[in-house]
Amino acid sequence: MNKFSHIDLRVKSLEKSLPFYEKLLPALGFTRTFHSANWRVFAAEGELPSVPYFAITEDPEHVPNGNLIGFWASDRDEVDRMAALVEQSGGIIHQGPQLFPISPTYYAVYFQDPCGNQYEIVHRLN
């Protein structure tokens, strides 16, 4: 059993960041939405609460930090496609997509959302 349940993410501005997440999260498999007045929830296929979900809320006082959220990619082409989607959606690429010296097959892209939260999309064989 994968122990991952969910992420509750704060962003400084929903208006600024929601268009980014509306493109990124479905491309990562969070295709179902359960939005409320205070939360925008993107869930994987299946029935809640047993599927992973990504919830976003606005906090005008939020200050991004050094935390990083990582996602798996099925292959290098997916890393490249996701990097292009990040750029087209208003995200900022910091490094990659490229091989990193973490392992001989560690191919990743590091980026941030429009509010400064940090992410990685990675494919690796070992």
Side-chain angles (χ1 to χ4, degrees), residues 26 29-35 41-48 51 53:
F30 297 90
T31 56
R32 299 176 49 214
T33 58
F34 301 89
H35 297 340
V41 178
F42 298 82
E45 291 299 318
E47 294 304 316
L48 289 173
V51 297
Y53 66 89

Side-chain angles (χ1 to χ4, degrees), residues 36-96:
S36 68
N38 294 324
W39 289 92
R40 304 307 183 269
V41 178
F42 298 82
E45 291 299 318
E47 294 304 316
L48 289 173
S50 62
V51 297
Y53 66 89
F54 201 106
I56 303 167
T57 193
E58 185 173 80
D59 177 357
E61 303 301 316
H62 175 67
V63 177
N65 55 39
N67 293 330
L68 180 137
I69 299 169
F71 293 99
W72 288 114
S74 58
D75 54 34
R76 289 183 183 187
D77 288 340
E78 184 179 5
V79 174
D80 293 340
R81 284 191 306 276
M82 294 304 298
L85 185 144
V86 164
E87 288 184 309
Q88 294 163 4
S89 303
I92 299 169
I93 303 284
H94 290 288
Q95 287 185 287

Side-chain angles (χ1 to χ4, degrees), residues 96-113:
Q98 67 188 56
L99 283 169
F100 286 89
I102 296 165
S103 81
T105 62
Y106 201 99
Y107 189 79
V109 61
Y110 293 88
F111 61 96
Q112 71 181 43
D113 73 5

